[in-house]
Amino acid sequence: MTDTLLSLWLALAGGLLIGLSAAALMALNGRILGVSGITAGALGLTANDRGWRRAFLAGLGLGGLLLGLFSPQTLQVEQARSLPIYLVSGLLVGYGVRLSGGCTSGHGVCGLSRLSPRALLATLSFMGSAMLTVWVVKLVTVAAA
């Protein structure tokens, strides 16, 4: 199997697993799979359902560790940035999450599947912002070279 075809199948399998996970959480727990909301509840002082939230986040971390163990090339970054760039980027993402009332998983996966107009607007906003950011960073990188 070619690398391109393998990548296609792996992406399809990953998408199916995300969709199944979101559907299972809704069906079994009545909750929307929004990672920012799950994280806020896991860290919150008043959440009475922190257990499943923390288990979910631990599973995300464990998945990343297993991926790094069994397929380290998947996590390689072509153009590593400095720590301040990563910190500012993370803060901007966090600000965007709070501003839109959710994250890519909550709006993009669960919200769109529920045909939520608010989720559509949020998804278009963050996808457009991401595309614009990549374009600007590539322009700056090419100009600096």
Side-chain angles (χ1 to χ4, degrees):
M1 189 178 306
T2 67
D3 286 342
T4 303
L5 191 55
L6 178 62
S7 294
L8 176 68
W9 283 110
L10 290 174
L12 180 62
L16 286 172
L17 287 173
I18 291 169
L20 287 172
S21 298
L25 186 61
M26 178 58 84
L28 300 174
N29 212 7
R31 303 290 183 159
I32 293 173
L33 195 156
V35 176
S36 64
I38 291 171
T39 303
L43 300 175
L45 300 175
T46 59
N48 59 356
D49 58 352
R50 279 187 238 132
W52 74 266
R53 293 170 186 270
R54 290 180 177 168
F56 178 87
L57 295 172
L60 287 179
L62 181 61
L65 289 173
L66 290 173
L67 183 63
L69 181 65
F70 291 109
S71 184
Q73 71 278 5
T74 307
L75 301 177
Q76 290 177 349
V77 178
E78 283 183 31
Q79 293 179 339
R81 304 285 183 221
S82 66
L83 182 60
I85 293 293
Y86 286 127
L87 291 174
V88 169
S89 299
L91 289 172
L92 288 172
V93 168
Y95 177 72
V97 164
R98 297 305 297 166
L99 188 65
S100 70
C103 59
T104 55
S105 55
H107 285 306
V109 175
C110 299
L112 289 179
S113 66
R114 293 179 302 126
L115 304 177
S116 166
R118 188 180 122 206
L120 176 61
L121 182 60
T123 303
L124 290 172
S125 297
F126 62 68
M127 291 301 290
S129 298
M131 287 185 267
L132 179 63
T133 300
V134 168
W135 181 70
V136 168
V137 168
K138 285 194 177 279
L139 272 178
V140 170
T141 304
V142 168

